[in-house]
Amino acid sequence: MSRIAAILLAVVAGWAGSVQAADMAPAPAPVPIPVPDVEIRLTPFFWASGLSGTVGARRNLPTVDIDVSFTDILRNLDFAAMVAGEYRNGRWGLLADLTYVAVSLDRGRDVVPRVPGFTSASLTSKTFTATATGFYRFYDSAAFTADLVAGGRVWSVSTDLDLNVAGVLALSAGSTHSWVDPVAGVRVHAVLGNGFGLSAYGDIGAGSSRLTWELRGTVDYAFNANWAVSVGYRHLAVDYRRGGFVYDTSFSGPIAGVSYRF
């Protein structure tokens, strides 16, 4: 019996010592909470876009077909401004893209009336588009990121259309319309290494217009943590009709931009 008691006393003493040692051990250091990465990026860009589609200014005048290359637009360009921006905090962020183009077209092969008897037409068009979306980064790795985007696209279009009937009678009409279309889409970016990457963006929407959609793809190169350039191709289309006003057009062409990350 005394031997069993001695064993029990030894076990109890060892347990008590381990408890005391555990009480004296330093508390583990708290695990730091990761701070979301914040990024602000500003990108002035140049879009060598052509213009094609159908435009109408008033119900009692015919629509005209437009098929203008970028070189023709550049030759008749009145003013243009283009800039994009991005704010990201962790997986959430905001995107903005603004484009303004004012152009005057009067060559017969660029603007063609769709009704016989109208021998020529000229068009002065001022187009402002602003796409603002929020995004959520649903996939994020060192080699690939993917974002869901949703927001709206604002259009403001002013057209002055001059039509000539049989080379004798001139008819003119002007109209300005503004509208907003909800849009949703996806943006992805793949890292190729050595500063190179591939980016793609696409959205689609409708609301005030029958349909609007955009596709954009670029090859990117980052010089350092702050400066980067991108070159690629962009296509933006819209089909809007209200009363006699028709703006069923698409802009497409090469795009190039320089980004600065704050």
Side-chain angles (χ1 to χ4, degrees):
M1 181 66 66
S2 59
R3 185 175 181 182
I4 294 175
I7 293 174
L8 289 174
L9 287 173
V11 170
V12 171
W15 175 80
S18 63
V19 170
Q20 184 178 7
D23 291 339
M24 296 176 62
V31 178
I33 299 174
V35 179
D37 51 329
V38 176
E39 179 179 349
I40 300 175
R41 195 179 288 270
L42 186 66
T43 308
F45 64 90
F46 179 73
W47 187 14
S49 170
L51 173 62
S52 62
T54 302
V55 174
R58 203 167 63 194
R59 190 185 300 275
N60 59 347
L61 289 178
T63 58
V64 296
D65 288 333
I66 303 172
D67 188 7
V68 191
S69 66
F70 169 70
T71 54
D72 291 336
I73 287 183
L74 190 61
R75 204 166 20 237
N76 298 277
L77 187 66
D78 298 324
F79 182 78
M82 305 168 188
V83 66
E86 174 180 350
Y87 169 80
R88 182 174 64 85
N89 190 335
R91 290 182 177 268
W92 297 90
L94 299 171
L95 298 173
D97 183 289
L98 291 83
T99 302
Y100 177 81
V101 177
V103 63
S104 299
L105 306 167
D106 58 7
R107 298 200 305 168
R109 65 186 181 90
D110 293 336
V111 185
V112 180
R114 303 188 73 182
V115 174
F118 289 83
T119 54
S120 65
S122 63
L123 175 70
T124 298
S125 174
K126 299 175 182 178
T127 304
F128 171 78
T129 62
T131 304
T133 60
F135 70 85
Y136 173 71
R137 182 152 295 175
F138 66 91
Y139 186 86
D140 191 1
S141 72
F144 186 80
T145 61
D147 306 326
L148 289 175
V149 302
R153 178 172 295 125
V154 177
W155 292 85
S156 182
V157 178
S158 174
T159 60
D160 291 309
L161 183 62
D162 297 318
L163 295 163
N164 193 286
V165 183
V168 177
L169 180 62
L171 300 175
S172 299
S175 184
T176 300
H177 287 256
S178 300
W179 67 93
V180 181
D181 293 315
V183 296
V186 178
R187 182 180 69 159
V188 297
H189 177 74
V191 177
L192 302 180
N194 297 320
F196 287 94
L198 294 175
S199 296
Y201 172 93
D203 68 34
I204 188 169
S208 298
S209 69
R210 295 182 177 183
L211 181 68
T212 181
W213 58 279
E214 177 180 352
L215 288 175
R216 182 173 69 242
T218 60
V219 178
D220 314 315
Y221 178 74
F223 296 99
N224 49 46
N226 299 107
W227 290 98
V229 296
S230 59
V231 294
Y233 198 87
R234 181 182 185 181
H235 181 92
L236 174 62
V238 65
D239 183 1
Y240 177 83
R241 301 163 191 261
R242 191 69 73 231
F245 181 81
V246 177
Y247 198 72
D248 181 9
T249 61
S250 61
F251 301 82
S252 58
I255 188 172
V258 178
S259 298
Y260 182 77
R261 175 182 177 181
F262 295 89

